[in-house]
Amino acid sequence: MSVTSHQPTGTLDVVTRPGSPAVLVTPAFDDLDDALAWLTDRRAAVRAELLHHGSLMIRGLPVRDTTDFARARDVLMPQRTGYREKATPRTDFGAGVFSSTDLPAAQPIRLHNENSYTLEFPGTLLFGCLVAPEEGGATTVGDMRAALRLLPAALRDRFAAHGWLLVRHYSDLAGLPWQTTFSTDDPAVVQQYCTENVIGYRWLTGGTLRTEQRRPAIVTHPLTGEQSWFNHYSFWNRWALDADVRDVLVETYGADGLPFDTYVGDGSPLTRAEVETLMTAYETVTVRETWQRGDLMLVDNILNAHGREAFTGDRRIVVAMGDPVTLADCEPRPEPSDGPCSTSCPVPGK
């Protein structure tokens, strides 16, 4: 693939080419201390590039294990953010370092903004490659400013007016149990968290929990002032599931009891065709770069969404989250609420 832009920025050498995220090529370092000293001197320039591109791969550092990764994280992203309202399984390596996501290798992961449904979320993510997969397995990224511009005006205006609604049912069999999501075995702690974080909740038969939370689908970046498509709407919508998986889940849990489902913020569904329009916008802006051992990738969590390709072979990608952002600082419209569905939401039309 031909290089279309090769732009030295101060002391940085950033390469951009179609279909790939921006890549910062560093000098060759044998010693991590020297590499981190180099990175420390250029941290401001690195962060400026991140705000411009939305994501930035850093290639050439001798990052070999989770300890090395944590040290690089402390240079690039010293303020940590916890993982709240857990939705996918991860391995915790300590010191704020996690596996990217412990899902089967054959299962690709669609683009999404980390913790887009929480009132405080990581402003920046840092991924690191400790073992590169044999084939596939790129951490995909996509510019959500561009995705927003691609949406039909009527659909964009509908989300701007009403936001999006996430409905969850917690289970040991699909998704995660509420005890894992909220890191407690005490229902009273869950209820307090939901109340404090504007989440509607309802306990169902057998101790099953249902939650509903309405959040803005479009937010304004607190530093750049740019509007960005920021949500999990299509990621967790039923029409984004493989047909066989959707049929099994509906048969098992009922049309109103899926582990995850999404609606427009007024409780109305999108049609299958409308969800496919959203997914097409994601696909259009998706870029990827094959991992090499030692690679790091910074992602601005508002400007870019991220995902994962399916892969073969061993793959060890770690992640850290930092630079917490409060939703209230992103000009949220509409304001977050606990959702309009007092009993149940309508089943999406076809």
Side-chain angles (χ1 to χ4, degrees):
M1 184 177 294
S2 61
V3 174
T4 59
S5 174
H6 192 162
Q7 51 182 102
T9 307
T11 55
L12 298 184
D13 186 10
V14 178
V15 178
T16 61
R17 56 184 182 269
S20 295
V23 179
L24 165 60
V25 181
T26 76
F29 293 103
D30 293 324
D31 183 81
L32 184 62
D33 289 337
D34 292 340
L36 296 184
W38 181 92
L39 201 59
T40 299
D41 290 342
R42 292 155 181 82
R43 181 181 184 277
V46 168
R47 299 294 302 209
E49 289 290 337
L50 177 62
L51 284 178
H52 175 65
H53 297 288
S55 59
L56 181 68
M57 180 169 278
I58 303 173
R59 174 161 285 166
L61 303 179
V63 174
R64 298 292 179 254
D65 55 30
T66 56
T67 300
D68 293 347
F69 175 78
R71 292 183 63 196
R73 181 272 318 277
D74 290 342
V75 171
L76 292 166
M77 195 178 62
Q79 190 175 11
R80 303 180 190 178
T81 303
Y83 182 37
R84 307 175 72 190
E85 298 176 37
K86 301 178 181 70
T88 54
R90 298 179 187 269
T91 301
D92 187 344
F93 297 112
V97 178
F98 301 87
S99 61
S100 55
T101 299
D102 296 334
L103 291 177
Q107 179 179 339
I109 300 173
R110 296 181 185 276
L111 291 187
H112 60 284
N113 304 92
E114 195 68 39
N115 279 161
S116 70
Y117 43 90
T118 59
L119 299 186
E120 183 181 271
F121 49 84
T124 310
L125 310 174
L126 179 66
F127 294 90
C129 179
L130 305 183
V131 177
E134 293 177 7
E135 185 176 350
T139 295
T140 51
V141 289
D143 190 330
M144 293 297 99
R145 297 164 292 189
L148 179 61
R149 292 191 295 268
L150 289 171
L151 298 182
L155 194 56
R156 184 172 60 243
D157 291 347
R158 190 173 169 189
F159 277 103
H162 301 294
W164 70 292
L165 178 70
L166 170 63
V167 179
R168 296 180 64 174
H169 293 85
Y170 302 80
S171 169
D172 292 317
L173 302 177
L176 295 176
W178 59 262
Q179 293 90 340
T180 300
T181 294
F182 295 100
S183 301
T184 181
D185 292 324
D186 188 347
V189 174
V190 174
Q191 294 172 187
Q192 180 179 356
Y193 179 92
C194 290
T195 299
E196 292 174 351
N197 288 273
V198 199
I199 301 171
Y201 65 88
R202 185 150 50 90
W203 296 100
L204 307 176
T205 304
T208 300
L209 175 66
R210 172 188 173 107
T211 60
E212 303 176 356
Q213 54 213 94
R214 185 179 73 165
R215 301 294 184 254
I218 302 167
V219 301
T220 300
H221 195 288
L223 296 181
T224 71
E226 297 167 290
Q227 284 198 321
S228 190
W229 180 249
F230 181 79
N231 55 79
H232 275 70
Y233 185 93
S234 61
F235 185 83
W236 276 325
N237 190 267
R238 66 181 63 202
W239 297 126
L241 296 170
D242 290 338
D244 291 344
V245 174
R246 181 172 57 249
D247 290 346
V248 168
L249 289 175
V250 170
E251 182 178 352
T252 303
Y253 298 105
D256 190 41
L258 301 184
F260 299 92
D261 208 357
T262 58
Y263 304 82
V264 182
D266 59 1
S268 64
L270 292 188
T271 64
R272 183 200 301 259
E274 288 170 323
V275 175
E276 289 173 350
T277 296
L278 296 182
M279 292 191 293
T280 296
Y282 279 110
E283 292 166 3
T284 301
V285 302
T286 298
V287 297
R288 55 183 53 77
E289 176 70 18
T290 301
W291 282 114
Q292 297 178 17
R293 188 183 185 203
D295 284 346
L296 302 177
M297 186 160 67
L298 281 164
V299 178
D300 185 297
N301 189 38
I302 297 176
L303 301 180
N304 270 203
H306 68 281
R308 189 200 71 186
E309 292 180 330
F311 64 93
T312 58
D314 194 10
R315 178 185 187 269
R316 194 177 186 200
I317 306 298
V318 291
V319 65
M321 309 177 202
D323 302 328
V325 173
T326 301
L327 180 61
D329 292 332
C330 299
E331 303 179 22
R333 296 291 183 275
E335 293 289 336
S337 74
D338 56 8
C341 303
S342 59
T343 302
S344 64
C345 289
V347 177
K350 297 183 179 179

